[in-house]
Amino acid sequence: MRQLDKFRIYYNHTIHPELMRMERKRIRLLRLLILSGLLLLGVVLFEFYVNILLFTLVLAIPIVFYLLFLSYRIRKFLQTFKPNVMKLVLNFLQEEPNIGQLKYEPERSIPQKTFFESKLFACKPIIFEGEDFISGRVGEMDFDLCELTVEEEATVGTGLQNVFKGIFLHAIFPEETYGQVACWPRHLKHFFLRSIKEFTWLDAYNMDDEILYEPFREMFVTYASMNTHVAGILSEPMKEAIVDYCQVTGKELYFSFLGKHIFLAVTEPRDMMEPYIWRSNLSFELIRSFLEDVSLLLAIVEDFDKTH
């Protein structure tokens, strides 16, 4: 049975009941917010009617405390939803025979130093924020992944521009391996000229001619250090899986293999499984999207582990 079919059954039996429980909490919270809004509106109108400054100042104190209470209730819901659902998804992933114990830490992230060691993103970040740290093992390889948002000063105009927003993974092969390979989306090459230039300073060269699988060659630019056996690192099944994933999801994928270190990054415009307050969170597609992102990254790591 395909993974998606298995996951749909798992979702219906395990995740959906939890989503229903959280949905009841969301509805109670929504009712509280609506009633509170009407109550506060009535209080404000009454204050305008009586127009007594001392009365307004006295009422301001309980109003502020009540707003803090509402803020606490919202924050508690948001902080409870994702860990509960995330742990269920990770339990499903752990059923795969080659995946070891997975650990979830919502407030932790991959260090900025590791992000730059990937050689994929040459930037000077103003914002570097991460959350939803997951660690575990695929075959013989330990890995960490998290959600990252990286922004730097805009090169044109004022403000900030996005460098990367999505899931970033770092895995370590247990033995020393030779060679360095990095790939960027071809249609975004002009955005990564600085990254490519810095990588070529490390005695790397364009290796597109060594990519025999044409759809992959059309989708990515490939650079590698001298005497690196690119085909030995990027297997045909791996390249086919990457192309299929990018074509189906429309997401961008960046990856590098530097010695025994693997770095993978997949774009994701919205926060992973971030719950809504004003509309329902009963969405199979929301959970499925996260599962597919993580499954692809782990499949690439697993392929490298098996072929090396």
Side-chain angles (χ1 to χ4, degrees), residues 14-136:
T14 305
I15 298 180
H16 188 264
E18 176 63 21
L19 291 179
M20 287 293 297
R21 188 179 72 84
M22 297 302 298
E23 184 67 6
R24 290 191 289 269
K25 286 189 174 184
R26 185 192 70 84
I27 292 173
R28 289 196 296 269
L29 176 60
L30 187 58
R31 288 172 180 166
L32 175 63
L33 293 176
I34 293 173
L35 290 174
S36 299
L38 294 174
L39 177 63
L40 291 174
L41 178 62
V43 171
V44 171
L45 292 175
F46 180 71
E47 287 178 349
F48 275 114
Y49 176 75
V50 299
N51 196 24
I52 301 175
L53 179 60
L54 181 61
F55 181 73
T56 301
L57 293 175
V58 170
L59 274 181
I61 297 174
I63 288 175
V64 169
F65 277 103
Y66 189 71
L67 290 175
L68 291 174
F69 165 73
L70 291 179
S71 175
Y72 164 76
R73 289 290 301 272
I74 293 173
R75 189 168 62 252
K76 184 178 180 181
F77 173 78
L78 296 176
Q79 292 176 343
T80 303
F81 180 91
K82 191 185 291 187
N84 289 356
V85 178
M86 186 75 77
K87 288 174 183 176
L88 295 178
V89 176
L90 295 185
N91 287 341
F92 173 79
L93 287 171
Q94 286 176 173
E95 294 179 3
E96 296 296 321
N98 212 32
I99 297 180
Q101 184 69 31
L102 302 177
K103 183 179 180 182
Y104 174 62
E105 300 174 71
E107 303 299 326
R108 188 179 168 191
S109 70
I110 284 176
Q112 190 173 137
K113 178 176 179 288
T114 303
F115 179 77
F116 286 123
E117 286 174 348
S118 71
K119 310 300 182 186
L120 294 171
F121 305 95
C123 62
K124 296 180 180 179
I126 302 298
I127 294 178
F128 187 93
E129 298 175 346
E131 60 180 356
D132 298 324
F133 183 89
I134 299 172
S135 57

Side-chain angles (χ1 to χ4, degrees), residues 170-229:
H170 172 224
I172 303 177
F173 195 64
E175 301 174 4
E176 286 294 340
T177 60
Y178 177 80
Q180 297 190 342
V181 178
C183 296
W184 293 267
R186 184 173 294 278
H187 73 282
L188 295 177
K189 181 179 178 181
H190 56 290
F191 288 113
F192 292 94
L193 291 178
R194 183 169 35 159
S195 303
I196 294 172
K197 186 175 182 180
E198 290 189 6
F199 192 61
T200 56
W201 285 346
L202 302 175
D203 196 31
Y205 302 87
N206 183 277
M207 295 292 185
D208 289 343
D209 291 342
E210 291 196 21
I211 305 298
L212 302 181
Y213 183 51
E214 186 173 349
F216 185 92
R217 188 171 65 250
E218 292 175 351
M219 190 172 288
F220 295 95
V221 291
T222 303
Y223 285 78
S225 57
M226 185 63 71
N227 298 324
T228 297
H229 184 45

Side-chain angles (χ1 to χ4, degrees), residues 12 54 65 79 256 258 296 300:
N12 291 335
L54 181 61
F65 277 103
Q79 292 176 343
S256 59
L258 310 178
L296 173 77
I300 295 173

